[in-house]
Amino acid sequence: MKTLKKFMFMAVAIFSLVVSSSCSSDNSSEDNVEESTSAEGYIKFKYNGVAYNFNPAIITSGSINIMGYEGIDDTFKSISIWLPLDFTTGSHPIVYDLSNLTTTYQVNFSFKPEINNISATSGTVNITEKSDKKIAGTFSFSGSRDGKTFTITEGSFSAPKF
C-alpha cells in the first residue's frame, strides 16, 4: 500500500510537471526577482543566497499543488508546495509523509544538476490569504539526501485560484 501511495504521489508530481510545462515563462529568475505583483502571481525564494522568482501554476488532485519552475533537462529548477484540499490560514509544519498527502503540508524541490526532486523534511508554510481568487503565504524549509543538505529561505507565494 505504501508503494502504491508513493507511486500515486510521483504520478501526480509528473502530471503536474507535464501540465505546467506547456505554459513556459520568458522570465529569467535573476532578472525578475523584483517583479512580484503580476496577475498570474509568483513564487519567490532564496536558495544558496540567490533570489529566484517563478510564475506559479495550481493543480488540484487529492491535494493542492502550487508549483513554479524554469529551465529544462540539466537546467531544470522547480518548487512544489503541497497543501491539503481543506487547508487553513496560519502556520503549518512541513511534514514528509507520503501516506498522508491529503492532510499534510509538503514541499518538493529540484535544482538540477545538483538536486533532483528532494522532499523537505522540516520547515513551515504560513498561509496568509485564502480567498475565492487567490492563495498566498510564506515558507521556509530544508531537507537532505545522500549527505547533501539544502535550505530555502525568504519564500513567498501568491497564486490565483481557479
Side-chain angles (χ1 to χ4, degrees):
M1 184 69 169
K2 193 169 189 173
T3 303
L4 178 61
K5 287 183 181 183
K6 285 182 182 180
F7 174 76
M8 291 301 295
F9 176 78
M10 291 307 297
V12 169
I14 290 169
F15 174 77
S16 301
L17 290 173
V18 170
V19 168
S20 64
S21 68
S22 65
C23 303
S24 70
S25 168
D26 294 335
N27 296 338
S28 164
S29 61
E30 294 180 36
D31 294 338
N32 294 305
V33 171
E34 297 303 317
E35 184 181 320
S36 64
T37 58
S38 74
E40 295 102 26
Y42 59 89
I43 297 179
K44 300 187 304 182
F45 59 94
K46 284 190 178 179
Y47 172 62
N48 286 340
V50 178
Y52 294 89
N53 186 6
F54 298 156
N55 290 327
I58 294 182
I59 298 166
T60 305
S61 175
S63 61
I64 297 170
N65 178 7
I66 303 169
M67 178 185 170
Y69 75 96
E70 70 177 24
I72 58 171
D73 298 328
D74 287 343
T75 64
F76 183 71
K77 297 167 179 55
S78 73
I79 189 166
S80 290
I81 303 165
W82 297 84
L83 312 175
L85 290 175
D86 62 348
F87 72 95
T88 60
T89 59
S91 184
H92 306 279
I94 293 172
V95 177
Y96 177 70
D97 185 354
L98 296 178
S99 68
N100 288 317
L101 292 177
T102 60
T103 61
T104 60
Y105 296 77
Q106 300 187 46
V107 178
N108 294 76
F109 183 70
S110 287
F111 237 70
K112 288 187 174 182
E114 70 179 308
I115 296 172
N116 185 26
N117 197 30
I118 295 178
S119 296
T121 54
S122 66
T124 58
V125 173
N126 183 27
I127 307 299
T128 58
E129 184 174 346
K130 176 184 180 182
S131 72
D132 292 340
K133 296 185 179 185
K134 75 176 181 177
I135 303 169
T138 61
F139 59 91
S140 62
F141 60 88
S142 64
S144 63
R145 182 189 293 166
D146 301 328
K148 179 143 184 97
T149 300
F150 65 91
T151 302
I152 301 298
T153 60
E154 299 178 42
S156 63
F157 65 92
S158 178
K161 284 179 75 176
F162 53 91

